[in-house]
Amino acid sequence: MAEISLLKRSLAELIGTYVLVFLGTGSVVTTVLLIQGWTTPYADNTFNVGIDIASWFAIGIAFGIAVLAMIYTFGHISGTHINPAVSIALWATKRMPTIDMVYYIIAQLIGATLASLSIVVIWGSRSVATGLGATAMFEGVTYGQAIVCEAVATFFLMLAIMGTAVDKRSPAGFAGLIIGLVVTADIIVVGNITGSSLNPARTFGPYLVETIMGGVNLWWQFPIYLIGPILGAIVAAFVYDYVAGLKSSE
C-alpha cells in the first residue's frame, strides 16, 4: 500500500465507514419504523424490544454485507479497517504507523457521522426518534457486562481479521466473506445485549447526530463502546500473533 497516499487511504476509510454505518444503522431505523405499533403476545417481556430474531438476522446481514462489500472494494487500498478498534490493534502490534492510525480514526469518525446525518436527511425527523440505530445497553445488562460483551464479540471479529486479512499465509479472496459473516453472527447473538457495536465509530456517529438533532443523549454509555472493542481487538491481535507464531510487525 506504500504507493497509495495516506490521504487516499484515509478517504477510502471514510467512505467505507460511511457505507457500513449507513447500511447497518439504516437497517435498524427501517426495521424499527416498520414494526412500530405492532403488538405481540410477549409485550410484557422486557427482553423483547419489538425486534424478533428474524429482524436481528436481517440487521446482522445488513452490517455483514456492508463490511464484506467494503473489504472487497477498498481492502487493496486502505486495508478496510473502517473501525478505530481495528486500527488501534494493528498499531499496537506495530503494523501501522502512529500518524496513519490517527488519520484513519479521524476519517472513520467523519464517515460515521456523515452516514448518520444522511439518514436524518433521507428518513426525516422520524429517524431521530428511533435513535438512529445507536447502540445502548438493554434492560438487565450492567455496565461491566456490556464492556465484557463488546470485548468478547470484538475479539472474535479481530481474530477473523488477523487470520484472513493480516496473515499473508491465509487463502486469498476469503477475508471479506469471513469477516462479514463474523460481524453478522456477533450481531445476531449479542445484538439484544449491547446492540453489538464492535466499533467505536459505529456508535460515535449516531450518538453525535442524535445530540445535534436534540434526540436521546447516550454519551454516558460511550465508554462501553470505546473500552470493550479496543480491548477485545488488541487482545485478539496479540493472541493471534502468539498462536500463529507471527511477529507483531509482520
Side-chain angles (χ1 to χ4, degrees):
M1 296 178 198
E3 70 280 2
I4 301 176
S5 71
L6 177 57
L7 178 61
K8 289 181 179 179
R9 285 184 280 127
S10 298
L11 182 58
E13 286 294 304
L14 188 156
I15 297 171
T17 310
Y18 176 93
V19 172
L20 167 67
V21 176
F22 182 87
L23 292 181
T25 63
S27 71
V28 178
V29 171
T30 294
T31 300
V32 172
L33 289 174
L34 284 174
I35 66 176
Q36 274 185 347
W38 283 14
T39 58
T40 75
Y42 306 104
D44 58 343
N45 182 347
T46 57
F47 192 71
N48 186 312
V49 293
I51 301 179
D52 57 20
I53 188 62
S55 298
W56 277 125
F57 181 78
I59 291 169
I61 285 292
F63 274 102
I65 289 173
V67 170
L68 185 155
M70 290 304 97
I71 287 174
Y72 287 131
T73 301
F74 292 122
H76 59 291
I77 296 176
S78 69
T80 312
H81 299 183
I82 57 177
N83 184 339
V86 173
S87 298
I88 291 171
L90 294 178
W91 167 81
T93 55
K94 297 180 171 44
R95 289 184 170 90
M96 189 176 198
T98 301
I99 187 63
D100 289 29
M101 177 194 68
V102 172
Y103 269 73
Y104 271 39
I105 291 175
I106 291 173
Q108 292 155 1
L109 296 177
I110 292 174
T113 302
L114 291 177
S116 292
L117 285 170
S118 296
I119 288 174
V120 174
V121 170
I122 295 169
W123 273 263
S125 59
R126 61 184 178 178
S127 63
V128 177
T130 70
L132 296 178
T135 52
M137 295 184 295
F138 285 80
E139 189 169 340
V141 180
T142 68
Y143 212 89
Q145 286 174 322
I147 291 176
V148 172
C149 177
E150 284 292 309
V152 170
T154 310
F155 178 87
F156 298 153
L157 171 61
M158 193 66 200
L159 275 185
I161 292 171
M162 294 296 293
T164 62
V166 176
D167 194 335
K168 296 179 176 60
R169 300 169 298 180
S170 61
F174 288 96
L177 177 62
I178 300 304
I179 295 168
L181 287 174
V182 171
V183 169
T184 299
D186 272 346
I187 291 172
I188 292 170
V189 175
V190 300
N192 213 28
I193 304 297
T194 61
S196 194
S197 173
L198 324 175
N199 183 338
R202 177 258 179 272
T203 295
F204 177 86
Y207 275 22
L208 180 59
V209 176
E210 272 283 298
T211 301
I212 293 172
M213 299 302 298
V216 63
N217 185 336
L218 293 170
W219 285 106
W220 66 277
Q221 295 191 40
F222 188 64
I224 293 170
Y225 304 102
L226 197 62
I227 298 169
I230 291 174
L231 180 61
I234 290 175
V235 171
F238 279 105
V239 166
Y240 185 88
D241 278 350
Y242 175 75
V243 173
L246 294 180
K247 294 180 180 179
S248 293
S249 58
E250 289 183 286

